Amino acid sequence: MLKAGIIGYGYMGHFHYDKMLGFPEKVKPVAVYDIAEETRREAERKGMKIFDNIDDFLKEDMDLVVVATPNQWHAKYAVAAMNAGKNVMIEKPATMNVQEFEQIMECEKRTKKLFTVHQQRRHDVDYRIVVDMIQSGELGNVTTIESRVFGERGVCFGWRGDPEYGGGMLYDWGVHLIDQMLQLFKGQKVVRIQARLESVLTPAVDDYVEVVMEFDSGTYAKVYISTFVLEKLPRWFVFGDRGTLMLEDFSGTKGGARKIRQEVKGFDSVRGKKNLGPSRTMAPLAPECIEILELPQEEDESFVYWENLLDALENKKEPEVKSKEILRVMQIVDAAFEASKEKQVLEVNI
Ligand SMILES: NC(=O)c1ccc[n+]([C@@H]2O[C@H](COP(=O)([O-])OP(=O)(O)OC[C@H]3O[C@@H](n4cnc5c(N)ncnc54)[C@H](O)[C@@H]3O)[C@@H](O)[C@H]2O)c1
């Protein structure tokens, strides 16, 4: 039985506690370190040993330490825990910048401890539909892919609105959407980055994010985040040169995919028809040219991240989310901050 400790028993601390309860034969949450007295008491009532001092916490017998504090503490606690001989999983964003992440990688290499980051959105249903549809080749060559998360509340609540804690939406949702794109086009380099980070309603941090990554294949991957949008745009839009995919939301059940039939070679089959709409170029294709594609049915994988993590710990395997992958995410984040500040397209090799 693996023993796990949690640093930061807030929203995500509870999420990880609950996940662990899903594997009662494999892992037991045994200890909590949190700066908030009330939160510690709650953990104590659940049978965990509580600590108000990080050094004492790290002396506990634990196979895994989960770091789920606000963002600016991740690097410090990850390094301290690995130096204390613990395997470590930290929340996203892994760190505030590449420099901090390199300190973690140095420590991981030196201590030979398992280190990983909670990028569980690689298992989201909507994302896996996009992956499957692109990999099936049905859409042809993907020229542009758009990934979008829009909210309505207009706020970055709590510490998320404070830059000192690593607030802002690039750190919050941005790292998930960037990680998904890098996984989707694994093996391709990002060669150019353009970004626009704005504070629309939350003064101190970015609550509107646009990041455009150009891969060396020529594919453009575009990420959009806003906390205040009252009309809908799709979660995903994929432009291929043979077809198009659109997913409305995270459910993966709303949306559709259509492609031009294999036997249709040109796009001139609308010629000679009436009712072409505003122009011949933009006229709809005749229905017989189009094939409606079924969206793949994806299983719920909300338990798989933890299953893989426990498997890696038990069997001394490499974790699913590797630090070399997260280094690339942090390189994109750093470049996006710079590109936005300088209002320039950056040439990169990431
Ligand atoms: N992977 C995901 O999908 C996902 C989703 C939400 C949040 N997160 C990440 O999880 C982390 C925590 O977010 P949250 O929403 O749970 O925040 P939260 O505010 O709900 O919880 C943070 C907890 O950390 C404690 N804390 C604060 N400073 C501390 C310190 N120095 N040492 C020890 N404990 C400290 C707080 O008392 C609180 O209990 C963030 O890094 C966030 O980006 C990830």
Side-chain angles (χ1 to χ4, degrees), residues 6-16 32-37 39-40 51 54 67-74 76-77 90-94 117-121 124 157-160 165-166 168 171-173 175-176:
I6 302 171
I7 305 182
Y9 191 51
Y11 177 77
M12 284 314 281
H14 280 74
F15 172 97
H16 291 300
V32 159
Y33 166 59
D34 197 294
I35 53 167
E37 159 97 38
T39 306
R40 289 197 300 272
F51 295 86
I54 185 68
V67 180
T69 61
N71 304 336
Q72 93 280 29
W73 298 102
H74 294 178
K76 182 187 158 188
Y77 289 143
I90 64 176
E91 261 307 338
K92 52 56 44 182
V117 182
H118 189 226
Q119 296 287 173
Q120 85 288 10
R121 292 201 174 275
D124 282 5
F157 61 93
W159 57 264
R160 283 174 174 76
Y165 290 82
Y171 284 135
D172 198 62
W173 270 98
V175 292
H176 277 309

Side-chain angles (χ1 to χ4, degrees), residues 62-65 81-82 85-89 112-114 313:
M62 296 176 288
D63 304 285
L64 173 70
V65 166
M82 278 188 277
K86 317 297 186 208
N87 301 303
V88 172
M89 180 258 271
K112 299 191 173 51
K113 290 287 131 191
L114 178 144
L313 286 164

Side-chain angles (χ1 to χ4, degrees), residues 36 199 223 255 321:
S199 304
V223 162
V321 177

Side-chain angles (χ1 to χ4, degrees), residues 93-161:
T95 56
M96 305 279 279
N97 52 48
V98 169
Q99 202 193 359
E100 279 186 2
F101 195 71
E102 283 172 345
Q103 288 167 13
I104 289 184
M105 288 181 82
E106 180 282 320
C107 188
E108 178 193 15
K109 200 168 158 201
R110 180 169 42 78
T111 61
K112 299 191 173 51
K113 290 287 131 191
L114 178 144
F115 167 80
T116 193
V117 182
H118 189 226
Q119 296 287 173
Q120 85 288 10
R121 292 201 174 275
R122 295 180 187 186
H123 294 287
D124 282 5
V125 166
D126 59 310
Y127 173 63
R128 281 181 294 121
I129 291 174
V130 172
V131 173
D132 283 359
M133 287 296 298
I134 291 178
Q135 286 177 352
S136 74
E138 299 273 37
L139 305 174
N141 182 38
V142 172
T143 55
T144 301
I145 173 165
E146 294 178 357
S147 163
R148 197 177 279 106
V149 174
F150 284 171
E152 298 189 352
R153 295 180 61 203
V155 285
C156 296
F157 61 93
W159 57 264
R160 283 174 174 76

